[in-house]
Amino acid sequence: MEVKRFFASSMQEVLRMVRDDLGADAVILSNTKVDGGMEVVAALDYEEDYIPEPSSLAPSSVREPSPSQLARMHAEKHVKLQQEMESARRRIESVRDKKESIMTQSRPAAEPQVAEWNELSEMRAEIMEIKGLINNQPSQKDIHIKQNSRSVVQQQLGKTLDSLCLSKPIQKAIISSLEKGLNYDEAWAKASKQIRSAVSAEQAEIIDQGGVVSLVGPTGSGKTMTIGKMAARYVMKYGSESIALVTTDRYRIAAHEQLKVFGRILNVPVHTVDEKNSLDSILSQIGKKKLVLIDTAGLMHTDACWSEQLQELKMSPHNIKNYLVVSSVGQYQVMCANYYNYKMVELSGVIVTKVDEAVSLGEVLSFLIDTRLKAGYFTDGQRVPEDIHLFDKNEFFERAQALLNSSERWVTINSSAENIGHEAFLSHTA
């Protein structure tokens, strides 16, 4: 950058001087009335094109200055250093004049001369320091490279988090929390650690804790199959004498048949809530069981029976721990809607199902981070009881990464499916 001062008797004259000396691209940094006319400070080549746009991920309170503001700040600093250097030069010249005057008069003044020489040395050191500051000022190009590097890392990390299917607010929070100067691998390592630490998980298995446990959630989330897997897992560890199964689904014909099949295979009693047997009366009858698993009906929240069922769970004098069952193939918004629909029963945690059917797990991770519910189990298949696992957040995140790394496979499949659909449409309209 080139910064100069111009002085003339009028503004028109000083502007003509700026144009003649620096050209039409010069930037006027300041103008001041002084004795005898006008003084103008102008700059040339402040490289505005190198300044990147403020990052869209940064909060408005910390937006980077505009290119013109950066140029003005840089130029003013340069001018200030030039002024300090000129002041130092004048002081050196003053000391030199005094020294010459002393030598001319030939007066014995050894001590004053030593003092003058010391002062002169200090002046020279000071001016050299100022020169060093001027030379070490970062150029606009250097600033641009550094800012652009951070922007590129942010963009790369944003694409990765987006491919992982994390929610936008979580992506923004992660990116804005990372310090400057990180390369992509360092940024991804820190982001991965943040995601894992934000997920909560049960430290012990639900079946080992015992008590009365109900699984709630919409139709198709996998409640009954998960009940069967939990029951089988319990029987293998403790036997079938201290466990019982209960179903509250008396709204659909033969809705409890699958649970009864599990009961017969495991030699575990199955109780059905109906007009003659309330949930509380059944729980009182089997109160000596170490573990009671309750399978609830998957009803729409607009159904009157849905509210009736939740009231049974919420108002029961028995200590019922309610776990929301969330399918990995569901949308994030649907998961959140189900959370708010079932929140009234004071959820103890969540069980994640159908992990083997998911093409991404970022939706589930976002849901767990946002709700702060503890995850107890996740299931990944139809085998009983092999395909149910204690939720380990590190293992779950590794699965999410594995799906992220194989995302190209899904893109290929989706493209093929679109071509098939397009061909089918053409053949139908032909």
Side-chain angles (χ1 to χ4, degrees):
M1 173 186 294
E2 183 180 357
V3 181
K4 288 188 176 182
R5 291 178 176 272
F6 298 88
F7 176 81
S9 58
S10 65
M11 177 58 76
Q12 292 82 358
E13 180 64 19
V14 78
L15 289 178
R16 185 189 61 77
M17 293 171 64
V18 170
R19 185 175 62 255
D20 293 344
D21 194 330
L22 299 181
D25 294 330
V27 175
I28 303 300
L29 301 181
S30 67
N31 61 85
T32 308
K33 286 185 177 181
V34 296
D35 293 339
M38 296 292 296
E39 183 184 63
V40 168
V41 177
L44 184 65
D45 295 332
Y46 60 88
E47 300 178 348
E48 180 174 358
D49 292 339
Y50 286 110
I51 306 301
E53 291 296 325
S55 171
S56 60
L57 298 174
S60 58
S61 58
V62 292
R63 292 291 188 188
E64 299 174 358
S66 66
S68 60
Q69 290 174 328
L70 283 174
R72 181 180 295 276
M73 292 165 59
H74 188 76
E76 289 178 350
K77 182 178 179 181
H78 187 91
V79 170
K80 184 177 180 181
L81 290 173
Q82 290 282 7
Q83 290 174 340
E84 292 179 1
M85 191 164 66
E86 290 176 5
S87 176
R89 283 201 187 97
R90 287 194 295 271
R91 291 170 61 188
I92 291 174
E93 292 173 358
S94 175
V95 171
R96 185 182 294 113
D97 293 341
K98 290 181 181 179
K99 176 177 174 295
E100 292 176 354
S101 176
I102 292 173
M103 295 296 293
T104 301
Q105 295 176 8
S106 301
R107 289 186 295 109
E111 291 183 1
Q113 288 181 17
V114 171
E116 295 293 349
W117 276 108
N118 290 339
E119 185 177 356
L120 182 61
S121 298
E122 292 176 0
M123 296 298 175
R124 286 174 175 170
E126 181 178 348
I127 196 168
M128 291 301 295
E129 182 179 357
I130 295 175
K131 283 184 176 180
L133 289 174
I134 293 176
N135 293 332
N136 291 331
Q137 288 187 82
S139 66
Q140 295 296 325
K141 187 173 182 179
D142 293 336
I143 295 173
H144 158 70
I145 293 174
K146 186 175 180 180
Q147 292 177 339
N148 190 54
S149 175
R150 175 171 170 81
S151 176
V152 169
V153 171
Q154 287 179 336
Q155 291 175 8
Q156 291 176 334
L157 183 61
K159 289 180 180 179
T160 301
L161 296 175
D162 193 54
S163 298
L164 193 63
C165 294
L166 285 174
S167 67
K168 295 296 183 182
I170 293 178
Q171 292 184 37
K172 184 176 181 180
I174 291 174
I175 292 174
S176 63
S177 68
L178 298 177
E179 61 269 28
K180 297 181 180 179
L182 299 178
N183 59 37
Y184 173 78
D185 291 335
E186 293 170 335
W188 173 241
K190 288 182 176 293
S192 302
K193 184 177 180 180
Q194 288 185 24
I195 295 170
R196 290 194 298 269
S197 62
V199 175
S200 300
E202 294 276 5
Q203 298 302 312
E205 287 201 45
I206 297 173
I207 60 172
D208 293 338
Q209 299 174 33
V212 182
V213 176
S214 79
L215 301 191
V216 299
T219 301
S221 58
K223 297 187 298 298
T224 303
M225 179 62 74
T226 303
I227 288 277
K229 292 175 181 177
M230 293 173 65
R233 195 175 180 92
Y234 181 89
V235 170
M236 291 177 64
K237 295 178 70 173
Y238 304 106
S240 60
E241 294 77 16
S242 58
I243 180 176
L245 306 180
V246 177
T247 176
T248 65
D249 196 348
R250 67 270 195 186
Y251 308 106
R252 296 175 297 167
I253 299 175
H256 51 272
E257 287 301 321
Q258 185 180 8
L259 195 64
K260 287 189 175 181
V261 171
F262 285 128
R264 287 195 297 269
I265 295 173
L266 300 173
N267 195 27
V268 172
V270 178
H271 303 269
T272 302
V273 174
D274 53 26
E275 291 77 7
K276 297 180 181 180
N277 302 286
S278 66
L279 177 61
D280 288 336
S281 64
I282 292 176
L283 293 179
S284 297
Q285 294 172 20
I286 58 178
K288 295 183 179 180
K289 298 290 185 179
K290 182 181 177 181
L291 177 66
V292 177
L293 298 176
I294 303 174
D295 186 20
T296 61
L299 301 171
M300 294 293 294
H301 69 278
T302 54
D303 194 322
C305 297
W306 175 84
S307 179
E308 177 186 351
Q309 180 177 233
L310 292 190
Q311 287 296 328
E312 286 179 332
L313 297 172
K314 183 177 178 63
M315 304 306 296
S316 174
H318 300 83
N319 182 23
I320 302 176
K321 292 179 288 185
N322 303 292
Y323 284 82
L324 178 64
V325 179
V326 173
S327 170
S328 297
V329 300
Q331 295 178 330
Y332 169 75
Q333 292 84 352
V334 175
M335 297 178 191
C336 292
N338 288 327
Y339 166 72
Y340 286 108
N341 289 337
Y342 288 95
K343 189 178 179 181
M344 63 173 291
V345 297
E346 299 178 0
L347 297 170
S348 298
V350 62
I351 296 175
V352 181
T353 61
K354 305 183 180 181
V355 172
D356 57 311
E357 301 177 20
V359 297
S360 66
L361 294 176
E363 296 88 347
V364 175
L365 290 171
S366 299
F367 173 77
L368 294 175
I369 292 172
D370 288 341
T371 62
R372 300 183 182 276
L373 287 174
K374 286 186 176 182
Y377 292 110
F378 72 86
T379 69
D380 58 356
Q382 298 298 314
R383 295 180 301 169
V384 178
E386 292 86 353
D387 294 333
I388 185 170
H389 316 277
L390 178 66
F391 193 97
D392 182 287
K393 55 187 179 181
N394 293 320
E395 178 185 353
F396 197 83
F397 185 73
E398 288 177 1
R399 284 175 171 256
Q401 282 186 287
L403 290 174
L404 171 64
N405 295 334
S406 62
S407 59
E408 292 182 0
R409 173 166 62 95
W410 297 107
V411 171
T412 302
I413 292 175
N414 289 337
S415 299
S416 301
E418 291 175 0
N419 291 334
I420 293 172
H422 180 64
E423 293 172 1
F425 174 78
L426 292 177
S427 62
H428 177 74
T429 56

